[in-house]
Amino acid sequence: MRNLVTSPRFRALRDRSGFTVAEVLAAVGILGVALGALLTAMGWGVTDVDAARRSTIALFLAEQRMEQIKAFAMNTAPNTGWGNVDAAHFPAEAYGTMAGYGDYRRTVVVTPNALIPPGPAASPFAKQIEVWVYYRPVKPSGLGPETAVSVSTVSVWR
Amino acid sequence: MTSSDTALRHGPRLANQRGIVLPLTLMIMMVLASLTVAMLSISGFEPLISQNLADATKARFAAEAGIDAAFNRLAGATNWTTLLANADANTGVLLFATAPMGSLPAGRGTYTVRLRNDSLAGDPTITGVTADPNATADDNGVLIVTSTGQVAGATKTVRVVMKRLNFLFPAALNFPGNEAETLVDTSAFEVDGRGWKMDGSGLDASCAPVFGISVSTMLPTTNAGGNEAVVESALSGNQKNNVLGKAQNPAQAGIAENTIAPDPTLTPQYIQSFIDKAKAVADITLDSTQANPVSFNNIGSSCTGDPTHDAADGNCWGSKNPTTGEINPKVVYIKGEADPTSMFHALTLGGTTTGYGILIVEDGDMIVNGNFGWYGPIIVTGKWVGIGFMGGGNQSVYGAVISNETASDPGFYEGYLNGNAKIRYSCEALNAALNARKLVSATNWKDLAPGE
């Protein structure tokens, strides 16, 4: 068998070592820049996903309150019913007061004598109901300004 | 050749691997970039999905607002057929087009509502009742309402069945029970089955006349339809001329014996079914006992016409808004107790009484003193019952009166008229009363899929 160490082919292999260090340095540099950009982009994605999550939770909280109001309006127990659908019976809920949803606050706006067709004309049989849920979305730089989701309807006396 | 020789044979290829780290890095970077772009694409959709969900939810509440608006319109209409003019059997008529929710801007949601009669062959599966024969005439008090809510690009459609408690009155004064003993102590009374306007200003051409007085066709069981003769014999010749209405024999005038007739409409089951449904949703329910009979003076004097106020006022038995003319009817149910002596008055009214709606007295007499005006049906039913207009003031009923004796009590009156009592049949008053909001219901809710 031939001596591998002294063979021309082995010498060629030994010649590559210097280039590999340069390559690795270049690669690390490129990867570093690229990964930085990618991580930043992923941060945006995570922010988008979280914004959607918070928005959806806010929507569900608004929907929940509206359904509670509708059920209350149909209730016949004392101190309930459509006539008692007002701000006093559905007071504002501040941050930290809704169990499990401390990052949200919720308000109900009831407008009596709502406009209703035909006409439209103000009717004592109709109430305009709005439910607003407020929250602060997460931004890459921290919490963003307060934003809100609302649902609205018109309910009539039955 | 040895294995070492084989390895060395790849020598030139290894030498050509100079720079392999860089391409590998670029490849890894491209893979990572692809993954990131994919994740960004997916995450970018999340807010859109959330927004679509929000729009769809808002659109559903807008559609429900349309259903409520339709309910309000139907509860305020005295005749649903008038809303079906030119209605198509499949698509019905447009009730509201792109209406906003109250004073909110259209961007917060609008609704479009269509109304149709239940006249299609498949409608009984939706409504649970037999279909009407005609798309433009509501005979059974059932309509199908479709409301489409729209917010941004999202639409939601809800379909409900609107029902009103229907009841037919074959005469101004009805004795559908076992007996129809009547005493009339006046010649100034009036029982009129011609349709009157409820303000008393004249006859209502749109209201088909009914008999002046009706009795059962199948009761009493020993002499089916025999109560016609009982009523006719209770009236003198002049008094009979105060009974007007649809002619039993069309060839003759609708007066006296010719408008006192047996009619099969008011069967015991029909009356009981209506009473059971009406009392279940009564605005006012009072128990009257022989020890503590219910008696009121000046019912209605505290009404303001404001439905919110009047709804909570137990001494307001329905009202009419003096400004808008809108009627806020109530269902008033008085539950008495059976008294075989027939002396028990389950309800006594005096002073000046005014009411709008449905007044039901069960198991006991109803006695009316003083001034009295009622707009809608009065139903006195049960054992040992009767209704007495005792005089002492202006007494009128626009609507219809039923005195339904379910016991057998010869010698006790089912009807007593004195003074200037007027019982005038009025479609307008009856429809307004039967439109008491609690008698109108929205049932069988369904979210319709697109194209359904």
Side-chain angles (χ1 to χ4, degrees), chain A residues 65-131:
Chain A
R65 197 59 158 166
M66 187 64 90
E67 296 296 353
Q68 286 172 348
I69 293 169
K70 283 174 169 278
F72 180 91
M74 302 296 285
N75 202 330
T76 57
N79 207 31
T80 65
W82 187 85
N84 287 306
V85 173
D86 51 32
H89 286 86
F90 293 94
E93 297 160 287
Y95 285 116
T97 60
M98 282 187 279
Y101 299 98
D103 294 339
Y104 300 84
R105 70 182 181 92
R106 188 162 61 178
T107 62
V108 175
V109 181
V110 179
T111 308
N113 299 315
L115 292 173
I116 196 165
S123 170
F125 297 116
K127 290 180 178 178
Q128 176 183 304
I129 302 170
E130 301 166 67
V131 178

Side-chain angles (χ1 to χ4, degrees), chain A residues 4 16 23 63 128 157-158, chain B residues 8 14 19 60 103 437:
Chain A
L4 288 175
R16 293 189 316 175
E23 284 176 3
E63 191 176 8
Q128 176 183 304
W157 178 42
R158 297 183 187 176
Chain B
L8 288 174
L14 284 172
R60 181 169 62 81
S103 58
R437 301 179 83 85

Side-chain angles (χ1 to χ4, degrees), chain B residues 50-113:
Chain B
S50 178
Q51 187 60 49
N52 285 343
L53 179 64
D55 289 344
T57 303
K58 292 175 183 180
R60 181 169 62 81
F61 282 121
E64 291 182 7
I67 294 296
D68 271 42
F71 178 95
N72 193 63
R73 181 75 183 91
L74 293 174
T78 54
N79 186 342
W80 287 2
T81 294
T82 59
L83 300 173
L84 294 171
N86 302 317
D88 178 83
N90 291 293
T91 60
V93 291
L94 186 65
L95 192 62
F96 307 129
T98 324
M101 290 189 288
S103 58
L104 298 174
R108 297 276 293 278
T110 60
Y111 54 84
T112 296
V113 180

Side-chain angles (χ1 to χ4, degrees), chain A residues 47 50-51 54 95 103 105 134-148:
Chain A
T47 301
D50 188 71
R54 285 173 182 260
Y95 285 116
D103 294 339
R105 70 182 181 92
Y134 298 86
Y135 64 98
R136 300 186 66 180
V138 173
K139 300 288 184 186
S141 56
L143 286 177
E146 187 178 58
T147 187

